[in-house]
Amino acid sequence: MLEKIFAASVVAACALMLLRVLVGPRRRSRLHASLRRLSARIGRFLDAVFARPNAARRAEREAKAAIRRAQGRAAGHWDGNVYKPKSFRKRRDIH
């Protein structure tokens, strides 16, 4: 099955290249423009189907993991909505 799909795509690519050689410059530019539009449309479709939902879920997971890591190594305390790390507290010099 995979071999047939690959063979069909090679035949289609060869047919497109032959068509490109046989047509004149004006039609060639129209062919290039239509292929660019088709490529962009396919790319947008693939982004909508695969990349967007996965990227959003992955970003949410990464954000939650970063928040968890930051809370785990907290070296200070929260005073309302202000975080005061211990490293900014004044040290008492003991002589």
Side-chain angles (χ1 to χ4, degrees):
M1 178 70 172
L2 186 61
E3 295 87 13
K4 290 181 182 181
I5 293 172
F6 181 70
S9 63
V10 168
V11 168
C14 290
L16 278 174
M17 288 189 288
L18 180 63
L19 178 69
R20 183 184 175 274
V21 169
L22 294 177
V23 299
R26 181 180 293 164
R27 286 186 180 164
R28 188 178 306 143
S29 67
R30 287 179 53 195
L31 177 67
H32 287 176
S34 64
L35 288 175
R36 255 185 258 117
R37 284 192 304 269
L38 177 66
S39 173
R41 190 176 305 146
I42 290 172
R44 284 193 303 269
F45 172 75
L46 291 176
D47 279 349
V49 170
F50 296 110
R52 300 287 181 197
N54 291 338
R57 279 194 299 261
R58 183 178 30 213
E60 185 177 355
R61 268 196 318 267
E62 291 295 326
K64 286 182 180 179
I67 291 170
R68 227 179 5 258
R69 284 193 309 270
Q71 288 174 344
R73 32 171 211 230
H77 69 283
W78 284 92
D79 185 16
N81 64 345
V82 178
Y83 179 72
K84 295 184 178 182
K86 290 180 184 177
S87 63
F88 292 151
R89 292 185 187 168
K90 294 182 180 179
R91 294 183 182 175
R92 295 183 183 181
D93 292 333
I94 301 174
H95 296 292

